[in-house]
Amino acid sequence: MTRIALCQIPVSTDPSANLDQVRRSIERAAADGAELAILPEASLTRYGRRITELAEPLDGPFVTGLAESARAHGLAVIAGVFESGADPGADSGTEPGTEPGAGPIAGDGRAPRVRNTAVAIGPDGELKAAYRKIHLFDSFGARESELVEPGDEPVVVELAGLRVGLVTCYDLRFPELTRALADLGADLFAVIAAWGSGPMKEEHWTTLVRARAIENTTWTAAVGQAPNPEAADGFGIGRSLLVDPMGVVRADLGPTPAVQTCVLDPQVTIVTRNALPCLEHRRLSPKRS
């Protein structure tokens, strides 16, 4: 059994205020006996053109603060940050777009791009892994790729006695990523998000989280930003979920800020895969050059 805290927090544009809130969430998770606390994508700061200025290296103050809290409370932490990079932004030749109901997130194509990074920190405060988001949100009028440099490697990391596959927001729409993580031995998918609001978007979120769990018979913890009433960009719908390998929703945090500790039972995975060995029944494999 592993106790996992879903830390559904609103995120502001102020990294120091966000770090204070993250610290309080980790403290609450630890007080409830959690061994792993999962926080949303972009916990450092909200999306916007400012991310190129506010991004930090992985030894910067935000990740250092996460590590200090993890070590002080003796639990593992997963959270999303913007990591400073060196790749110049791509100029698409089009006007920056916005998601319906959201603020602009595209840049001018000239500033260095950053990385949308999920950091995994152990209970000793050591950085265990960093996953750079592979699939960038160039959809619904948005152009994340103008500000963010994509990653290219799936990441599985050992935390709290589990092999955890890291997934960030728009990645959820690409089943080949979670299948690759399952092939790498993931016991749990940790999905972090700042999911955008809009017609059918919440339905897509809940459906896709359950689908990734069901098709891989793998526990899935999906943690999103809670709505921030002071922001008008539309990012953050809440609805953080823990879904078991059979697709049963074990926790749904709704739309308001919350920290909820849930229990992951590995025996459920064994029972499900004995009854439904679909991973063993695959007939198609990726073509190799």
Side-chain angles (χ1 to χ4, degrees):
M1 300 282 193
T2 304
R3 292 178 65 79
I4 298 172
L6 312 181
C7 301
Q8 178 172 288
I9 60 172
V11 175
S12 76
T13 57
D14 181 352
S16 61
N18 294 330
L19 180 57
D20 287 343
Q21 183 170 217
V22 165
R23 286 181 183 272
R24 291 193 296 270
S25 297
I26 292 172
E27 183 178 8
R28 286 182 59 188
D32 200 26
E35 300 162 74
L36 170 62
I38 305 176
L39 293 122
E41 176 191 25
S43 289
L44 170 71
T45 184
R46 295 189 73 79
Y47 268 104
R49 292 182 178 90
R50 73 193 77 80
I51 67 173
T52 58
E53 302 170 6
L54 297 177
E56 300 178 1
L58 296 185
D59 59 357
F62 195 87
V63 176
T64 298
L66 290 176
E68 290 171 350
S69 288
R71 183 169 53 250
H73 296 289
L75 80 170
V77 174
I78 294 170
V81 301
F82 293 111
E83 178 190 358
S84 49
D87 183 26
D91 189 349
S92 66
T94 60
E95 291 298 315
T98 61
E99 181 175 358
I105 68 168
D108 61 10
R110 292 189 293 272
R113 292 192 290 178
V114 302
R115 298 180 181 92
N116 187 340
T117 302
V119 294
I121 298 169
D124 56 359
E126 293 296 317
L127 181 66
K128 302 299 185 184
Y131 164 67
R132 282 85 183 191
K133 184 179 182 182
I134 293 174
H135 303 98
L136 301 183
F137 187 62
D138 288 359
S139 297
F140 293 98
R143 294 284 298 173
E144 185 180 11
S145 64
E146 291 184 358
L147 290 177
V148 176
E149 176 185 353
D152 56 13
E153 290 291 334
V155 172
V156 173
V157 58
E158 293 192 14
L159 297 171
L162 301 170
R163 289 182 57 78
V164 183
L166 303 178
V167 179
T168 301
C169 205
Y170 191 52
D171 282 334
L172 193 62
R173 294 185 182 272
F174 299 86
E176 57 269 29
L177 175 58
T178 45
R179 181 52 54 88
L181 296 172
D183 285 343
L184 290 170
D187 305 306
L188 167 70
F189 302 141
V191 182
I192 61 172
W195 203 260
S197 60
M200 296 302 297
K201 294 294 293 300
E202 188 169 330
E203 290 296 323
H204 288 189
W205 166 256
T206 57
T207 300
L208 289 166
V209 171
R210 293 188 67 208
R212 300 294 84 88
I214 293 167
E215 69 199 4
N216 294 291
T217 55
T218 300
W219 284 92
T220 302
V223 178
Q225 291 184 14
N228 184 336
E230 297 179 358
D233 57 22
F235 290 108
I237 62 168
R239 295 301 304 275
S240 299
L241 305 169
L242 179 67
V243 180
D244 75 18
M246 192 60 84
V248 177
V249 176
R250 299 297 187 98
D252 183 336
L253 273 57
T256 57
V259 175
Q260 182 171 329
T261 302
C262 314
V263 175
L264 185 155
D265 182 356
Q267 188 65 30
V268 175
T269 304
I270 295 170
V271 170
T272 301
R273 290 182 177 177
N274 284 340
L276 180 62
C278 58
L279 294 177
E280 299 175 17
H281 292 164
R282 285 180 290 169
R283 298 288 300 279
L284 301 177
S285 60
K287 294 181 180 179
R288 302 193 182 276
S289 58

